[in-house]
Amino acid sequence: AQKVTQAQTEISVVEKEDVTLDCVYETRDTTYYLFWYKQPPSGELVFLIRRNSFDEQNEISGRYSWNFQKSTSSFNFTITASQVVDSAVYFCALSETGFQKLVFGTGTRLLVSP
Amino acid sequence: DAGVTQSPTHLIKTRGQQVTLRCSPKSGHDTVSWYQQALGQGPQFIFQYYEEEERQRGNFPDRFSGHQFPNYSSELNVNALLLGDSALYLCASSFEPRANYGYTFGSGTRLTVV
């Protein structure tokens, strides 16, 4: 069965601090896809990144970086030098090949104060 | 290029009533998925439509039904509404040949059942 766990319910930081959001997943499949989405108060889920199970290279996009480790079934997300605009709920999600539904974690609410 | 459009934005219904939510996918997308997001939770997969047929279904009762039209737009119908159906309903679209490359979400319809 698929499962995504985001143990951090809420994180509060001060602007310019670095913050890491944790994601642990479970799947029996060898081919799967991992995603991070951002949900601002407007409600829309904004796509941030997709990673397939065969690509363990870490990725950096501006202030965002992702650390994928199959050995620990983790796909963590780091925001460097956080900004107030980063305040949102962040979701990690998993989909398996042939099953296109996304299985989401419960989300981590990030509050960045000035 | 319009993204995913959902209507209405907000809706208040009485217990026992029926409701229809609408979704227009992103241009070029042919697959529509529906998710229910209860307050403080991650989105839960309801079902997915492709080629006007329900292809996958999550763990939701038959009170939840849907439809996809030839222009790829979709409707979600919920009968005999319960208080527990109050949630944000999100529509996501994708392009079948590259489905796992990403899903575009709409801003959702917030349904309140009183």
Side-chain angles (χ1 to χ4, degrees), chain A:
Chain A
Q2 308 169 69
K3 184 179 180 181
V4 175
T5 301
Q6 294 180 257
Q8 304 152 309
T9 303
E10 185 169 308
I11 300 175
S12 293
V13 299
V14 177
E15 208 169 18
K16 296 184 183 178
E17 284 187 27
D18 298 347
V19 58
T20 296
L21 309 182
D22 297 334
C23 173
V24 175
Y25 62 92
E26 296 177 29
T27 177
R28 295 175 184 167
D29 220 352
T30 55
T31 303
Y32 50 90
Y33 301 84
L34 296 164
F35 301 80
W36 275 96
Y37 282 88
K38 174 182 180 180
Q39 187 174 44
S42 63
E44 180 177 353
L45 285 168
V46 178
F47 170 80
L48 296 178
I49 191 173
R50 164 193 173 273
R51 175 68 73 225
N52 74 53
S53 53
F54 297 108
D55 183 2
E56 289 194 70
Q57 278 193 328
N58 291 330
E59 181 160 337
I60 298 175
S61 176
R63 297 184 297 106
Y64 295 170
S65 62
W66 291 269
N67 184 333
F68 177 30
Q69 292 193 342
K70 287 179 73 172
S71 61
T72 55
S73 296
S74 65
F75 186 42
N76 297 336
F77 173 31
T78 297
I79 301 175
T80 302
S82 60
Q83 299 176 2
V84 173
V85 294
D86 296 327
S87 296
V89 180
Y90 291 85
F91 289 97
C92 181
L94 164 74
S95 72
E96 295 175 341
T97 304
F99 297 91
Q100 294 174 18
K101 69 174 185 179
L102 289 169
V103 174
F104 286 85
T106 51
T108 298
R109 180 177 299 278
L110 175 64
L111 300 173
V112 183
S113 55

Side-chain angles (χ1 to χ4, degrees), chain B residues 40-54:
Chain B
Q41 300 297 315
Q44 299 289 318
F45 176 76
I46 302 175
F47 43 53
Q48 182 182 83
Y49 276 84
Y50 174 66
E51 293 188 337
E52 302 180 48
E53 292 194 358
E54 183 183 292

